[in-house]
């Protein structure tokens, strides 16, 4: 079964502290993994994808196929990082493939 | 920067009524999607649409649902006879400018549907 699991509904950290949002997935093939972010009153937007291996807004995520994980990390949290974060996967490398979302983690950065 | 737009932002309807949710995808995109998010739950795939036909649909997308691209710009989701459990945020998305893979799905702001 295709599934994305985000175990934390809410993560609250102080500004400047490291952040790690956990994500595990279940997929029989080779999925493409993403992190989407939704800031308050804004639309869902792509934060990063495992294929590109880039750092966006200081966030990185490494795909660990052995542990089937794709945790999102940032060494020093900023207040503007407060948002809802969704881990997601797309099966196969087709533009038509659906995206399967996790249930999301609300990240709250305390000043 | 081009964006996916959706109208209305909020729709209130009585149970059993038909509703049509409208989306204008990004103009040169070829693949279109509807997702929904029931309050407090995850975003769920409903249907994908390409070349004027459904590519894939989930088990949620039963006979009460239909999609259409009536005029080459709009992409609509119709719910024929709404139920209370259809209350959710409905997101439209689009992607794909050609044959390339790894295309980003761009999401609209959503339509909040409330069924009374």
């Amino acid at each position: 079964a295709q599934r994305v699991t985000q175990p934390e509904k809410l993560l609250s950290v102080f500004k400047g502290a490291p952040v790690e949002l956990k994500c595990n997935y279940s997929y029989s093939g080779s999925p493409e993994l993403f992190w989407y972010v939704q800031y308050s009153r804004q639309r869902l937007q792509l934060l990063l994808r495992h294929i590109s291996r880039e750092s966006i807004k200081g966030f990185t995520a490494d795909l660990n196929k052995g542990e089937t994980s794709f945790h999102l990390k940032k060494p020093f949290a900023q207040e503007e990082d407060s948002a809802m974060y969704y881990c997601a996967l797309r099966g196969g490398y087709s533009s038509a493939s659906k995206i399967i979302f996790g249930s999301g983690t609300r990240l709250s950065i305390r000043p | 920067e081009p964006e996916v737009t959706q109208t209305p932002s909020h729709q209130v309807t009585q149970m059993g009524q038909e509703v049509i949710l409208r989306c204008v995808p990004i103009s040169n995109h070829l693949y279109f999607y509807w997702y929904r998010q029931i309050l407090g739950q995850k975003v769920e795939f409903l249907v994908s649409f390409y070349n004027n036909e459904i590519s894939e649909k989930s088990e949620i997308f039963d006979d009460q649902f239909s999609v259409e691209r009536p005029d080459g710009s709009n992409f609509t989701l119709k719910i024929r006879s709404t139920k209370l459990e259809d209350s959710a945020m409905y997101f439209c998305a689009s992607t794909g400018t050609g044959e390339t893979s790894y295309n980003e799905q761009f999401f609209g702001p959503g339509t909040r549907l409330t069924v009374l």
Side-chain angles (χ1 to χ4, degrees):
Chain A
Q2 302 172 7
R3 191 183 304 123
V4 178
T5 303
Q6 293 179 252
E8 303 135 331
K9 281 198 163 178
L10 173 66
L11 185 64
S12 181
V13 302
F14 284 105
K15 178 181 166 182
V19 170
E20 183 178 38
L21 284 77
K22 291 188 167 36
C23 171
N24 287 89
Y25 67 90
S26 172
Y27 186 76
S28 55
S30 295
E32 190 176 2
L33 273 296
F34 308 88
W35 277 97
Y36 279 81
V37 61
Q38 188 171 30
Y39 300 103
S40 180
R41 294 193 178 83
Q42 294 188 28
R43 64 188 65 203
L44 268 169
Q45 55 188 279
L46 181 65
L47 180 63
L48 53 79
R49 54 162 64 107
H50 89 271
I51 293 286
S52 54
R53 295 181 169 271
E54 56 193 343
S55 173
I56 304 290
K57 299 185 179 183
F59 285 98
T60 58
D62 290 318
L63 179 61
N64 185 322
K65 291 185 179 179
E67 295 182 0
T68 58
S69 67
F70 188 56
H71 304 325
L72 183 68
K73 299 178 185 178
K74 183 168 182 176
F76 307 105
Q78 297 170 296
E79 286 185 68
E80 54 265 32
D81 295 330
S82 293
M84 196 74 182
Y85 290 80
Y86 295 94
C87 184
L89 74 79
R90 181 164 66 189
Y93 293 106
S94 163
S95 291
S97 298
K98 67 189 178 197
I99 290 180
I100 298 165
F101 288 88
S103 52
T105 297
R106 181 168 299 282
L107 178 63
S108 174
I109 308 300
R110 290 175 280 176
Chain B
E1 188 174 328
E3 288 184 330
V4 177
T5 59
Q6 289 184 244
T7 54
S9 56
H10 191 189
Q11 173 93 46
V12 181
T13 190
Q14 295 288 328
M15 191 169 57
Q17 295 296 304
E18 174 184 287
V19 294
I20 297 176
L21 310 183
R22 290 184 167 79
C23 167
V24 179
I26 293 172
S27 65
N28 58 350
H29 281 182
L30 301 175
Y31 302 87
F32 315 110
Y33 309 81
W34 284 102
Y35 294 83
R36 80 170 186 193
Q37 185 177 31
I38 295 171
L39 188 63
Q41 298 185 26
K42 59 178 67 177
V43 177
E44 302 172 288
F45 168 78
L46 290 178
V47 65
S48 59
F49 192 85
Y50 170 70
N51 201 25
N52 280 320
E53 60 184 32
I54 290 174
S55 305
E56 184 178 3
K57 59 183 180 179
S58 72
E59 56 192 29
I60 302 168
F61 194 88
D62 62 21
D63 292 344
Q64 293 299 312
F65 291 89
S66 62
V67 289
E68 198 177 30
R69 190 155 159 80
D71 56 12
S73 62
N74 288 285
F75 178 52
T76 61
L77 174 70
K78 184 195 289 188
I79 309 175
R80 263 180 270 284
S81 176
T82 49
K83 307 186 198 65
L84 294 176
E85 53 265 37
D86 294 328
S87 294
M89 184 73 104
Y90 288 80
F91 295 104
C92 174
S94 70
T95 190
T97 58
E99 293 298 318
T100 55
S101 298
Y102 318 130
N103 281 316
E104 178 180 346
Q105 285 188 21
F106 290 86
F107 284 80
T111 292
R112 179 166 297 287
L113 176 65
T114 302
V115 182
L116 302 176

Coordinates of all heavy atoms in Angstrom, one line a residue, chain A residues 34-81:
Chain A
F34 N 8.5 14.4 -1.6 CA 8.4 15.9 -1.6 C 8.1 16.3 -0.2 O 7.6 15.6 0.6 CB 7.2 16.4 -2.4 CG 7.2 15.9 -3.9 CD1 6.5 14.7 -4.2 CD2 7.7 16.7 -4.9 CE1 6.4 14.3 -5.5 CE2 7.7 16.2 -6.2 CZ 7.0 15.1 -6.5
W35 N 8.4 17.6 0.1 CA 7.8 18.3 1.2 C 7.1 19.5 0.6 O 7.6 20.3 -0.2 CB 8.9 18.8 2.2 CG 9.3 17.7 3.1 CD1 10.4 16.9 3.0 CD2 8.7 17.4 4.4 NE1 10.4 16.0 4.1 CE2 9.4 16.3 4.9 CE3 7.5 17.8 5.0 CZ2 9.0 15.7 6.1 CZ3 7.2 17.2 6.2 CH2 7.9 16.2 6.8
Y36 N 5.8 19.6 1.1 CA 5.0 20.8 0.7 C 4.8 21.6 2.0 O 4.8 21.1 3.1 CB 3.6 20.4 0.2 CG 3.6 20.0 -1.3 CD1 4.0 18.7 -1.7 CD2 3.2 20.9 -2.2 CE1 4.0 18.4 -3.0 CE2 3.2 20.6 -3.6 CZ 3.6 19.3 -4.0 OH 3.6 19.0 -5.3
V37 N 4.7 22.9 1.8 CA 4.4 23.8 3.0 C 3.2 24.6 2.7 O 2.9 25.0 1.5 CB 5.7 24.7 3.2 CG1 6.0 25.6 2.1 CG2 5.5 25.5 4.5
Q38 N 2.5 24.9 3.8 CA 1.3 25.8 3.7 C 1.4 26.8 4.8 O 1.2 26.5 6.0 CB 0.0 25.0 3.7 CG -1.2 25.9 3.4 CD -2.5 25.0 3.3 OE1 -2.6 24.0 4.0 NE2 -3.4 25.5 2.5
Y39 N 1.8 28.0 4.4 CA 1.8 29.1 5.4 C 0.4 29.6 5.6 O -0.5 29.4 4.8 CB 2.7 30.3 4.9 CG 4.1 29.9 4.6 CD1 4.6 29.6 3.4 CD2 5.0 29.7 5.7 CE1 5.9 29.2 3.1 CE2 6.3 29.3 5.5 CZ 6.7 29.1 4.2 OH 8.0 28.6 4.0
S40 N 0.2 30.3 6.7 CA -1.1 30.8 7.1 C -1.8 31.5 6.0 O -1.2 32.5 5.4 CB -1.0 31.6 8.4 OG -2.3 32.1 8.8
R41 N -3.0 31.1 5.6 CA -3.8 31.7 4.6 C -3.2 31.7 3.2 O -3.6 32.6 2.4 CB -4.2 33.2 5.0 CG -5.0 33.3 6.2 CD -5.6 34.7 6.4 NE -6.5 34.8 7.6 CZ -6.1 34.9 8.8 NH1 -4.8 35.1 9.0 NH2 -6.9 35.0 9.8
Q42 N -2.3 30.8 3.0 CA -1.7 30.7 1.7 C -1.9 29.3 1.1 O -2.4 28.4 1.8 CB -0.2 31.0 1.7 CG 0.1 32.4 2.1 CD 1.6 32.8 1.9 OE1 2.3 32.2 1.1 NE2 2.0 33.7 2.7
R43 N -1.6 29.1 -0.1 CA -1.9 27.8 -0.8 C -0.7 26.9 -0.5 O 0.4 27.3 -0.1 CB -2.0 28.0 -2.3 CG -0.8 28.5 -3.0 CD -1.1 28.9 -4.4 NE -2.0 30.0 -4.5 CZ -2.8 30.2 -5.6 NH1 -2.7 29.4 -6.6 NH2 -3.6 31.3 -5.6
L44 N -1.0 25.6 -0.7 CA 0.0 24.6 -0.7 C 1.1 24.9 -1.7 O 0.8 25.2 -2.9 CB -0.5 23.2 -1.1 CG -1.1 22.3 0.1 CD1 -1.8 21.1 -0.6 CD2 0.1 21.8 0.9
Q45 N 2.4 24.8 -1.3 CA 3.4 25.0 -2.3 C 4.6 24.1 -2.0 O 4.8 23.7 -0.9 CB 3.9 26.5 -2.2 CG 4.4 27.0 -0.9 CD 4.7 28.5 -0.9 OE1 5.7 28.9 -1.3 NE2 3.7 29.2 -0.4
L46 N 5.2 23.7 -3.1 CA 6.3 22.8 -3.0 C 7.5 23.4 -2.3 O 7.9 24.5 -2.6 CB 6.7 22.3 -4.4 CG 7.9 21.3 -4.5 CD1 7.5 20.0 -3.8 CD2 8.3 21.1 -5.9
L47 N 8.0 22.7 -1.3 CA 9.2 23.2 -0.6 C 10.5 22.6 -1.2 O 11.4 23.3 -1.6 CB 9.1 22.9 0.9 CG 10.3 23.4 1.8 CD1 10.4 24.9 1.8 CD2 10.1 22.9 3.2
L48 N 10.5 21.3 -1.2 CA 11.6 20.6 -1.9 C 11.3 19.2 -2.3 O 10.3 18.7 -1.8 CB 12.9 20.7 -1.0 CG 12.9 20.2 0.4 CD1 12.9 18.7 0.5 CD2 14.1 20.8 1.2
R49 N 12.1 18.7 -3.2 CA 11.9 17.3 -3.6 C 13.2 16.5 -3.5 O 14.3 17.2 -3.6 CB 11.4 17.3 -5.1 CG 12.3 18.0 -6.0 CD 12.0 17.6 -7.5 NE 10.6 17.9 -7.9 CZ 10.3 18.9 -8.8 NH1 11.3 19.7 -9.2 NH2 9.1 19.1 -9.2
H50 N 13.1 15.3 -3.3 CA 14.4 14.5 -3.0 C 15.3 14.5 -4.3 O 16.5 14.4 -4.1 CB 14.1 13.1 -2.5 CG 13.9 12.1 -3.6 ND1 12.7 11.8 -4.2 CD2 14.8 11.2 -4.2 CE1 12.9 10.8 -5.1 NE2 14.1 10.5 -5.1
I51 N 14.7 14.5 -5.4 CA 15.4 14.4 -6.7 C 16.5 15.6 -6.8 O 17.6 15.4 -7.2 CB 14.5 14.5 -7.9 CG1 13.6 13.3 -7.9 CG2 15.3 14.7 -9.2 CD1 14.3 12.0 -8.4
S52 N 16.0 16.8 -6.4 CA 16.9 17.9 -6.6 C 18.0 18.1 -5.6 O 19.0 18.8 -5.8 CB 16.0 19.2 -6.6 OG 15.3 19.3 -5.5
R53 N 17.8 17.4 -4.4 CA 18.9 17.5 -3.4 C 19.3 18.9 -3.1 O 20.5 19.1 -2.8 CB 20.1 16.7 -3.8 CG 19.9 15.2 -4.0 CD 21.1 14.5 -4.4 NE 20.9 13.0 -4.3 CZ 21.2 12.3 -3.2 NH1 21.7 12.9 -2.2 NH2 21.0 11.0 -3.2
E54 N 18.4 19.8 -3.0 CA 18.8 21.2 -2.8 C 18.3 21.6 -1.4 O 17.5 20.9 -0.7 CB 18.2 22.1 -3.8 CG 16.7 22.0 -4.0 CD 16.2 22.7 -5.3 OE1 17.0 23.5 -5.9 OE2 15.1 22.4 -5.7
S55 N 18.8 22.8 -0.9 CA 18.4 23.3 0.3 C 17.5 24.5 0.0 O 17.9 25.4 -0.8 CB 19.6 23.8 1.1 OG 19.2 24.5 2.3
I56 N 16.3 24.5 0.5 CA 15.4 25.6 0.3 C 15.0 26.3 1.6 O 14.6 25.6 2.6 CB 14.1 25.2 -0.4 CG1 14.4 24.4 -1.7 CG2 13.1 26.3 -0.6 CD1 14.8 25.3 -2.8
K57 N 15.2 27.6 1.7 CA 15.0 28.3 3.0 C 15.7 27.7 4.1 O 15.2 27.7 5.3 CB 13.5 28.4 3.2 CG 12.7 29.1 2.2 CD 11.2 29.3 2.5 CE 10.5 30.0 1.4 NZ 9.1 30.3 1.7
G58 N 16.8 27.1 3.9 CA 17.6 26.4 4.9 C 17.2 25.0 5.3 O 17.8 24.3 6.1
F59 N 16.1 24.5 4.6 CA 15.6 23.2 4.9 C 16.3 22.2 3.9 O 16.6 22.5 2.8 CB 14.1 23.1 4.7 CG 13.3 23.7 5.7 CD1 12.8 25.0 5.6 CD2 13.0 23.0 6.9 CE1 12.0 25.5 6.6 CE2 12.2 23.5 7.9 CZ 11.7 24.8 7.7
T60 N 16.6 21.0 4.5 CA 17.1 19.9 3.6 C 16.3 18.6 4.0 O 15.7 18.5 5.1 CB 18.6 19.6 3.9 OG1 18.8 19.4 5.3 CG2 19.4 20.8 3.4
A61 N 16.3 17.7 3.1 CA 15.7 16.4 3.4 C 16.4 15.3 2.6 O 16.7 15.5 1.4 CB 14.2 16.4 3.0
D62 N 16.8 14.3 3.3 CA 17.5 13.2 2.7 C 16.7 11.9 2.6 O 16.1 11.6 3.6 CB 18.8 12.9 3.4 CG 19.8 14.0 3.3 OD1 20.0 14.5 2.1 OD2 20.5 14.4 4.3
L63 N 16.6 11.4 1.5 CA 15.8 10.1 1.3 C 16.7 9.0 1.8 O 17.8 8.8 1.4 CB 15.5 9.9 -0.2 CG 14.7 8.7 -0.5 CD1 13.4 8.7 0.2 CD2 14.5 8.5 -2.0
N64 N 16.1 8.2 2.8 CA 16.8 7.0 3.3 C 16.0 5.8 2.9 O 14.9 5.6 3.5 CB 16.9 7.2 4.8 CG 17.7 6.0 5.4 OD1 17.6 4.9 5.0 ND2 18.5 6.3 6.4
K65 N 16.4 5.2 1.9 CA 15.6 4.1 1.4 C 15.6 2.9 2.3 O 14.6 2.2 2.4 CB 16.1 3.6 0.0 CG 15.9 4.7 -1.1 CD 16.3 4.2 -2.5 CE 16.0 5.2 -3.5 NZ 16.4 4.8 -4.9
G66 N 16.6 2.7 3.1 CA 16.7 1.6 4.0 C 15.6 1.7 5.1 O 15.0 0.8 5.5
E67 N 15.5 3.0 5.6 CA 14.6 3.3 6.7 C 13.2 3.8 6.1 O 12.3 4.1 6.9 CB 15.1 4.3 7.6 CG 16.4 3.8 8.4 CD 16.9 4.8 9.4 OE1 16.3 5.9 9.5 OE2 17.9 4.5 10.0
T68 N 13.1 3.9 4.8 CA 12.0 4.5 4.1 C 11.5 5.8 4.8 O 10.4 5.9 5.2 CB 10.8 3.5 4.0 OG1 10.4 3.1 5.3 CG2 11.1 2.3 3.2
S69 N 12.5 6.7 4.9 CA 12.2 7.9 5.6 C 12.7 9.1 4.7 O 13.5 9.0 3.8 CB 13.0 8.0 7.0 OG 14.4 8.1 6.8
F70 N 12.1 10.3 5.0 CA 12.4 11.5 4.3 C 12.2 12.6 5.2 O 11.3 13.5 5.1 CB 11.5 11.6 3.0 CG 11.9 12.7 2.1 CD1 13.2 12.8 1.6 CD2 11.0 13.6 1.7 CE1 13.5 13.8 0.7 CE2 11.3 14.7 0.8 CZ 12.6 14.7 0.3
H71 N 13.0 12.7 6.3 CA 12.8 13.7 7.3 C 13.3 15.0 6.9 O 14.3 15.2 6.2 CB 13.6 13.3 8.6 CG 13.2 11.9 9.1 ND1 12.0 11.4 9.1 CD2 14.0 11.0 9.7 CE1 11.9 10.2 9.6 NE2 13.2 9.9 10.0
L72 N 12.6 16.1 7.3 CA 12.9 17.5 6.9 C 13.7 18.1 8.1 O 13.2 18.0 9.2 CB 11.6 18.2 6.6 CG 11.8 19.7 6.2 CD1 12.4 19.7 4.8 CD2 10.4 20.4 6.2
K73 N 14.8 18.7 7.7 CA 15.6 19.3 8.8 C 16.0 20.7 8.5 O 16.1 21.1 7.3 CB 16.9 18.5 8.9 CG 16.7 17.0 9.3 CD 18.0 16.3 9.4 CE 17.7 14.8 9.6 NZ 18.9 14.0 9.6
K74 N 16.2 21.5 9.6 CA 16.8 22.8 9.5 C 17.6 23.1 10.7 O 17.1 22.8 11.8 CB 15.6 23.9 9.3 CG 16.2 25.3 9.1 CD 15.1 26.2 8.7 CE 15.6 27.6 8.5 NZ 14.6 28.6 7.9
P75 N 18.8 23.5 10.6 CA 19.6 23.7 11.8 C 19.2 24.8 12.7 O 19.4 24.6 14.0 CB 21.0 23.9 11.2 CG 20.8 24.4 9.8 CD 19.5 23.8 9.4
F76 N 18.7 25.9 12.2 CA 18.3 27.0 13.1 C 16.9 27.5 12.6 O 16.8 28.2 11.6 CB 19.3 28.1 13.0 CG 20.8 27.7 13.2 CD1 21.6 27.5 12.1 CD2 21.2 27.4 14.5 CE1 22.9 27.1 12.3 CE2 22.5 26.9 14.7 CZ 23.4 26.8 13.6
A77 N 15.9 27.2 13.4 CA 14.6 27.6 13.1 C 14.4 29.1 13.2 O 15.0 29.8 14.0 CB 13.6 27.0 14.0
Q78 N 13.5 29.7 12.2 CA 13.2 31.1 12.3 C 11.7 31.2 12.4 O 10.9 30.3 12.1 CB 13.6 31.7 10.9 CG 15.1 31.7 10.7 CD 15.5 32.1 9.3 OE1 15.2 31.4 8.3 NE2 16.3 33.2 9.2
E79 N 11.2 32.3 12.9 CA 9.8 32.5 13.2 C 9.0 32.3 11.9 O 7.9 31.8 12.0 CB 9.6 33.9 13.8 CG 10.0 33.9 15.3 CD 9.6 35.3 15.9 OE1 8.4 35.5 16.2 OE2 10.6 36.0 16.3
E80 N 9.5 32.8 10.8 CA 8.8 32.7 9.5 C 8.6 31.2 9.0 O 8.0 31.0 8.0 CB 9.4 33.6 8.5 CG 10.8 33.3 8.2 CD 11.7 34.3 9.0 OE1 11.4 34.7 10.1 OE2 12.8 34.6 8.5
D81 N 9.2 30.3 9.7 CA 9.1 28.9 9.4 C 7.8 28.3 9.9 O 7.4 27.2 9.5 CB 10.3 28.1 9.9 CG 11.6 28.4 9.2 OD1 11.6 28.9 8.1 OD2 12.6 28.3 9.9

